[in-house]
């Protein structure tokens, strides 16, 4: 009876062992290959000068062994040691969880011996010999047999490994979130060079009354309301980025003197913007700078977004901690900036204008944009490039279609489009009462259930049925996150957009695209030179 039971246990144990070896073999090989590659790279960097002082014979001997191939070879002792070591590591975890600390200690000790032997073999560039491997393989085999015999059955092993895989996944997810948070902080932080430029320009604005007098003179220029000219609007608190948008636009315009730029910034940066644009010439174009805090009509009684941003709960949502499984980028403080929402009030800001082109401050213009003003929008309000080549840019990805207010009015498969380069027909805007539509949706979303944050979701709702698709070449997006945009697409684009965290004025910008932006920086300006070097 006893012999029959033993005969029964042996094949079960053998199947169990085979399963464990198969499960961990692949991971052990991959891990050790990475270890060896890392060691070889380190050896190339650190040991090369020493090798050069040794004899040629020693160099040949060292280079004759490919330790990666040695680890992968089914007949090598290194491979056997690697597999046994990985299996032993699994049993260390299981033994600890079953409070068999002595067995766990013995396994850990042999694992260290195994690691030391493999490390020595890699350092000397010679394979592990039978004499070196045999004692460790025998002792590890005995300990693994003891672990198997301790009734650590296959079900226990599977459950244990599942729990550890889940724990590793949670750690990886936490690391991903943390990485996103750090990336966001880096993207939102003002670089020292830009801070330096702001300080110098603010000092100029305060010290030079002539700049303030000149600003007062230009405030009433008839060109600001002349519909025979080409009007662009930019809402930003970044003086250098705004300057790049203006400079790239006039540099590629056939008739730059016919261009008018309407810039709105906040009170902190108003003097900075005025000092920069009054002190620099942009090929004769007209530039107006306004302070959003002087718009008396833009208040909580008129604009729902202002009321919401003044609410304590809304402020906590926009700038609070990264909880409730909300993507960190959706809690960016930029969404609390009123400048980000001014795009829905363009007719109120410029009541006498008929058509404008809206530009974000993270775009670069590469072609003449004046043909946009003669495009036929077929009665629509918004001319924009659609972004639904991939499924994730359709309406259902931005809006909560489980809410009947959304699902009853909108097609979830409708094509999304891009903010950043938009043609707005302000006559059609007023006729369709677009701002009132925006107010309606902002009020409906007071509890944040229709969409999370941002200006694109309410834009998709507000301009639904009022958007004219433009040729894709007018506006190419993704230069702030996508490493693989086709060069031909970039070269043919009228406007390239650095949307994403990797803004071109930051160190984390994508190197491949950064020259597109830098070519329009006035590197000879003394303030820029001084701030960069300091």
């Amino acid at each position: 009876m006893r012999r029959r039971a033993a005969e029964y246990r042996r094949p079960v144990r053998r199947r169990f062992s085979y399963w464990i070896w198969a499960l961990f073999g692949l991971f052990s090989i991959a891990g050790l290959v990475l270890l060896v590659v890392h060691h070889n790279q380190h050896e190339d960097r650190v040991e090369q000068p020493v090798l050069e002082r040794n004899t040629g014979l020693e160099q040949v001997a060292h280079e004759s062994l490919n330790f990666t191939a040695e680890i992968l070879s089914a007949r090598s002792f290194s491979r056997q040691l690697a597999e046994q070591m990985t299996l032993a590591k699994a049993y260390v975890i299981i033994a600890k969880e079953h409070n068999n600390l002595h067995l766990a200690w013995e396994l850990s000790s042999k694992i260290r011996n195994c690691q030391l032997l493999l490390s020595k073999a890699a350092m000397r560039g010679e394979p592990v010999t039978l004499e070196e491997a045999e004692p460790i393989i025998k002792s590890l085999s005995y300990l693994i047999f003891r672990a198997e015999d301790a009734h650590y059955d296959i079900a226990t092993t599977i459950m244990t490994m599942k729990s550890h895989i889940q724990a590793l996944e949670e750690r990886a997810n936490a690391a991903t979130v943390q990485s996103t948070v750090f990336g966001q902080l880096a993207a939102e932080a003002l670089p020292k060079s830009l801070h330096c430029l702001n300080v110098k320009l603010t000092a100029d604005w305060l010290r030079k009354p002539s700049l303030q007098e000149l600003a007062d003179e230009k405030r009433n220029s008839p060109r600001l309301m002349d519909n025979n000219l080409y009007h662009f609007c930019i809402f930003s608190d970044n003086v250098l980025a705004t300057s790049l948008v203006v400079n790239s636009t006039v540099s590629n315009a056939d008739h730059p003197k016919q261009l008018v730029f309407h810039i709105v910034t906040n009170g902190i940066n108003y003097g900075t913007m005025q000092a920069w644009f009054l002190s620099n010439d942009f090929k004769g174009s007209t530039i107006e700078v306004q302070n959003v805090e002087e718009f008396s009509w833009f208040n909580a009684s008129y604009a729902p977004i202002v009321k919401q941003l003044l609410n304590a709960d809304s402020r906590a949502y926009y700038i609070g901690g990264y909880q409730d499984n909300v993507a960190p980028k959706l809690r960016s403080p930029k969404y609390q900036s009123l400048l980000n929402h001014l795009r829905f009030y363009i007719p109120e800001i410029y009541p006498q204008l008929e058509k404008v082109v809206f530009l974000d401050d993270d775009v670069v213009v590469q072609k003449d944009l004046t043909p946009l003003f003669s495009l036929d929008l077929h009665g629509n309000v918004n001319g924009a490039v659609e972004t639904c080549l991939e499924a994730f840019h359709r309406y259902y990805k931005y809006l909560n279609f489980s809410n009947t207010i959304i699902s009853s009015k909108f097609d979830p498969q409708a094509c999304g489009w891009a903010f950043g380069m938009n043609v707005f027909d302000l006559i059609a805007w007023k006729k369709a009462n677009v701002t009132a539509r925006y107010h309606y949706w902002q009020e409906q979303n007071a509890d944040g259930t229709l969409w999370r944050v941002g200006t694109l979701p309410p834009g998709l709702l507000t301009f639904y049925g009022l958007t004219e698709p433009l040729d894709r070449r007018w506006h190419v997006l993704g230069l702030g996150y996508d490493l693989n945009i086709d060069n031909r697409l970039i070269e043919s684009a009228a406007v390239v957009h650095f949307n994403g965290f990797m803004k071109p004025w930051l160190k984390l910008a994508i190197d491949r695209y950064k020259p597109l932006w830098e070519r329009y920086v006035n590197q000879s300006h003394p303030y820029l030179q001084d701030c960069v070097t300091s």
Side-chain angles (χ1 to χ4, degrees):
M1 182 86 171
R2 230 177 253 164
R3 190 176 69 183
R4 192 178 304 165
E7 288 174 354
Y8 174 76
R9 278 199 306 270
R10 270 196 295 271
V12 171
R13 186 174 296 143
R14 193 175 298 117
R15 288 197 301 271
F16 170 71
S17 179
Y18 288 162
W19 183 88
I20 289 292
W21 279 81
L23 178 64
F24 293 105
L26 180 61
F27 295 107
S28 67
I29 295 167
L32 279 159
V33 168
L34 289 174
L35 177 65
V36 171
V37 169
H38 173 73
H39 166 77
N40 290 341
Q41 290 174 343
H42 176 75
E43 196 173 58
D44 289 342
R45 291 194 302 269
V46 179
E47 299 295 338
Q48 190 61 35
V50 178
L51 288 174
E52 289 173 356
R53 292 195 296 269
N54 292 339
T55 65
L57 182 62
E58 289 173 328
Q59 289 185 17
V60 171
H62 179 76
E63 294 171 358
S64 62
L65 176 70
N66 184 335
F67 202 72
T68 303
E70 177 75 7
I71 286 289
L72 296 174
S73 172
R75 297 182 178 181
S76 72
F77 295 114
S78 299
R79 168 76 172 269
Q80 294 179 46
L81 288 167
E83 290 177 342
Q84 275 201 320
M85 182 172 62
T86 306
L87 185 59
K89 285 180 179 179
Y91 279 123
V92 168
I93 296 170
I94 298 171
K96 285 181 179 179
E97 291 190 350
H98 286 74
N99 207 29
N100 193 341
L101 300 182
H102 182 69
L103 177 58
W105 179 84
E106 287 184 290
L107 286 165
S108 298
S109 177
K110 296 302 178 184
I111 289 169
R112 285 193 295 272
N113 292 341
C114 188
Q115 290 171 331
L116 182 61
L117 178 56
L118 290 171
S119 177
K120 286 181 178 179
M123 289 290 290
R124 72 190 183 210
E126 296 175 359
V128 176
T129 64
L130 173 63
E131 291 75 17
E132 294 171 319
E134 187 175 19
I136 298 177
I137 291 175
K138 281 185 176 180
S139 56
L140 265 178
S141 298
Y142 170 69
L143 291 173
I144 290 169
F145 176 79
R146 279 178 53 193
E148 291 176 357
D149 208 41
H151 305 293
Y152 300 155
D153 57 89
I154 192 165
T156 302
T157 304
I158 290 173
M159 292 301 297
T160 302
M161 297 314 297
K162 276 187 177 179
S163 67
H164 285 286
I165 289 170
Q166 184 177 0
L168 287 172
E169 287 178 347
E170 289 173 357
R171 287 173 62 185
N173 290 336
T176 301
V177 171
Q178 190 177 49
S179 174
T180 305
V181 172
F182 289 157
Q184 179 183 328
L185 291 173
E188 291 166 0
L190 187 68
K192 289 182 180 179
S193 58
L194 284 183
H195 179 70
C196 166
L197 179 63
N198 286 358
V199 169
K200 288 180 177 292
L201 292 171
T202 302
D204 279 354
W205 176 251
L206 296 174
R207 282 198 316 245
K208 298 177 180 179
S210 59
L211 287 177
Q212 300 184 30
E213 293 171 3
L214 183 59
D216 290 337
E217 290 176 14
K218 292 192 171 187
R219 186 171 290 125
N220 298 317
S221 170
R223 292 174 61 85
L224 299 175
M225 299 172 286
D226 187 349
N227 283 298
N228 293 314
L229 302 177
Y230 303 105
H231 295 266
F232 300 84
C233 58
I234 308 165
F235 308 136
S236 174
D237 58 1
N238 187 324
V239 63
L240 188 59
T242 305
S243 176
L244 260 291
V245 177
V246 174
N247 192 33
S248 63
T249 305
V250 299
S251 297
N252 292 286
D254 293 337
H255 304 286
K257 290 183 179 180
Q258 296 182 11
L259 273 54
V260 181
F261 294 90
H262 303 269
I263 299 167
V264 182
T265 189
N266 54 26
I268 295 173
N269 293 281
Y270 176 71
T272 301
M273 289 281 191
Q274 285 283 25
W276 179 263
F277 286 103
L278 290 170
S279 303
N280 293 279
D281 177 67
F282 292 87
K283 296 192 174 183
S285 60
T286 302
I287 299 174
E288 172 192 35
V289 178
Q290 292 179 277
N291 182 356
V292 66
E293 294 168 18
E294 294 179 359
F295 296 163
S296 57
W297 53 268
F298 195 40
N299 52 51
S301 62
Y302 175 65
I305 188 64
V306 177
K307 182 179 178 180
Q308 291 168 17
L309 291 176
L310 290 174
N311 180 275
D313 292 337
S314 295
R315 290 173 65 86
Y317 179 80
Y318 281 107
I319 63 174
Y322 297 93
Q323 68 270 12
D324 302 329
N325 297 319
V326 176
K329 69 178 182 179
L330 297 179
R331 292 193 183 275
S332 172
K334 78 174 184 178
Y335 296 123
Q336 196 175 231
S337 170
L338 291 177
L339 295 174
N340 200 45
H341 301 273
L342 277 184
R343 63 194 71 193
F344 295 103
Y345 297 94
I346 293 175
E348 281 83 353
I349 305 172
Y350 314 109
Q352 294 177 308
L353 296 183
E354 297 176 354
K355 186 173 283 189
V356 300
V357 170
F358 166 77
L359 296 172
D360 264 337
D361 65 359
D362 54 354
V363 305
V364 172
V365 178
Q366 301 187 130
K367 299 185 186 302
D368 185 15
L369 295 186
T370 55
L372 285 169
F373 291 84
S374 58
L375 288 178
D376 185 1
L377 298 183
H378 300 98
N380 287 310
V381 177
N382 172 32
V385 170
E386 291 184 331
T387 56
C388 55
L389 293 180
E390 285 83 21
F392 63 85
H393 283 132
R394 296 186 182 273
Y395 268 49
Y396 75 89
K397 283 295 183 178
Y398 298 99
L399 305 167
N400 178 15
F401 275 87
S402 65
N403 190 305
T404 54
I405 297 176
I406 298 293
S407 59
S408 63
K409 296 179 182 293
F410 301 97
D411 177 7
Q413 294 297 329
C415 217
W417 44 265
F419 264 138
M421 197 291 297
N422 303 79
V423 188
F424 290 122
D425 184 331
L426 302 185
I427 296 175
W429 183 307
K430 294 172 186 176
K431 186 177 179 180
N433 206 4
V434 170
T435 302
R437 291 175 63 163
Y438 169 67
H439 285 172
Y440 168 80
W441 289 114
Q442 278 291 355
E443 289 167 351
Q444 293 297 314
N445 192 48
D447 58 358
T449 57
L450 301 188
W451 68 86
R452 287 179 176 172
V453 291
T455 54
L456 182 57
L460 296 175
L461 299 176
T462 300
F463 295 102
Y464 187 75
L466 299 174
T467 298
E468 180 71 15
L470 301 182
D471 188 296
R472 189 184 180 196
R473 289 170 295 181
W474 279 113
H475 186 191
V476 171
L477 297 99
L479 278 73
Y481 68 89
D482 189 348
L483 297 168
N484 300 307
I485 303 174
D486 192 323
N487 281 330
R488 293 169 296 181
L489 191 60
I490 293 174
E491 291 168 3
S492 66
V495 173
V496 290
H497 196 165
F498 287 82
N499 56 311
F501 285 157
M502 301 178 184
K503 301 300 184 188
W505 54 84
L506 301 174
K507 288 184 178 178
L508 50 77
I510 299 173
D511 290 338
R512 179 185 160 205
Y513 308 134
K514 200 167 184 177
L516 299 172
W517 189 83
E518 290 178 333
R519 64 188 293 191
Y520 295 106
V521 177
N522 183 5
Q523 305 286 0
S524 62
H525 194 285
Y527 282 1
L528 289 176
Q529 288 184 340
D530 191 29
C531 287
V532 170
T533 55
S534 63

